[in-house]
Amino acid sequence: MQVLMKLSSTFLAAGRLCAVAAIAFVSALTAVADVPVSYYRSASGKKDGDLKTALHNLIYKHTEVSSYNALPDYFRRTDVYPYGNERHGEWWDMYGNIPLYVRNGFRGLNREHSFPKSWWGGSTETPAYVDLFHLYPSEAAANMAKSNYPLGVVQSALYDNGVTRVGYPVLGQGGGAAQVFEPDDEYKGDFARTYFYMATCYQNLTWKYTYMVSNNQYPTLNPWTVNLLLKWHREDQVSQKEIDRNEQVYKIQANRNPFIDYPELAE
């Protein structure tokens, strides 16, 4: 992963990276990134909308988890602080900072669609409803406060628990929404890469709310959204938490988040 991140930094410093160049490095970096051999082969040689659609075809076909109610059981594999961490035994909550222990069950937490389900109309008939790549445990109060607001930079906060901020957006953000949700700096890249995944995996959905997305296959994300998420993606690079979670979700769903494996693809 160190080699991958070094390449990422080099490409970003040089300017906009052509996605097809990123694909060319897949074979060379497979051993470093622990990406299964040939996983991304179907995307090789493609760029722009064709590349995004190739990735969509690859990651959309995956194994759905057993049920929405069973999500806490999966979160035990994907969202618990690991051995060696001083907070081992706690749920890893990216929305709050209240210690909540796995031994106490899922009390005080919600199963949060980080990419709001209301944006596609709330249907439970799409794999997006139970896709672990955008579902996270969330402190109940923070989950309620963020509602279905888009991501953004908060200019004036109405809710702030030290990790999650909700309030009025800075000029040019929000896509017409009254408020936005701003995660902690530690997790801004996590959420950006989650949204890149969702805009790719579910480019075939029809959006009811278009704060951050438009009803097209490419680029799907609105211009202000692209600017914001790329900024967060560059400033908060892929963490060990994301790498480990990507591997666990792959074992469950048999698909991966390409923007964690190869951050350059976001460019």
Side-chain angles (χ1 to χ4, degrees), residues 155-218:
Q155 177 176 253
S156 178
L158 301 175
Y159 175 89
D160 189 344
N161 67 1
V163 179
T164 288
R165 300 181 78 231
V166 179
Y168 303 119
V170 299
L171 185 66
Q173 295 187 5
Q179 298 176 41
V180 294
F181 154 56
E182 181 178 357
D184 189 75
D185 289 348
E186 180 181 359
Y187 301 122
K188 283 179 176 173
D190 302 56
F191 282 106
R193 288 176 282 275
T194 294
Y195 274 53
F196 290 147
Y197 168 89
M198 291 297 289
T200 302
C201 188
Y202 299 105
Q203 65 179 31
N204 59 324
L205 290 180
T206 298
W207 310 113
K208 180 179 179 180
Y209 295 100
T210 55
Y211 303 129
M212 299 189 75
V213 291
S214 294
N215 283 301
N216 57 61
Q217 291 192 352
Y218 183 80

Side-chain angles (χ1 to χ4, degrees), residues 88-109:
H88 172 63
E90 294 180 34
W91 296 104
W92 199 320
D93 174 15
M94 298 196 297
Y95 297 85
N97 53 13
I98 300 173
L100 295 167
Y101 295 93
V102 178
R103 65 174 180 267
N104 295 329
F106 209 62
R107 286 180 294 177
L109 290 166

Side-chain angles (χ1 to χ4, degrees), residues 63-114:
T63 303
E64 293 184 42
V65 302
S66 58
S67 72
Y68 180 77
N69 290 334
L71 285 172
D73 292 331
Y74 294 103
F75 288 156
R76 288 176 180 270
R77 297 171 58 180
T78 61
D79 293 278
V80 174
Y81 282 96
Y83 289 106
N85 189 290
E86 62 182 6
R87 298 186 66 178
H88 172 63
E90 294 180 34
W91 296 104
W92 199 320
D93 174 15
M94 298 196 297
Y95 297 85
N97 53 13
I98 300 173
L100 295 167
Y101 295 93
V102 178
R103 65 174 180 267
N104 295 329
F106 209 62
R107 286 180 294 177
L109 290 166
N110 290 162
R111 293 155 287 193
E112 166 61 3
H113 291 88
S114 66

Side-chain angles (χ1 to χ4, degrees), residues 2-17 25 237 263-264 267:
Q2 290 177 344
V3 174
L4 179 59
M5 294 312 302
K6 185 178 293 184
L7 280 171
S8 177
S9 299
T10 301
F11 287 134
L12 293 178
R16 183 180 183 275
L17 172 67
F25 282 95
Q237 296 187 355
E264 297 89 347
E267 299 295 326

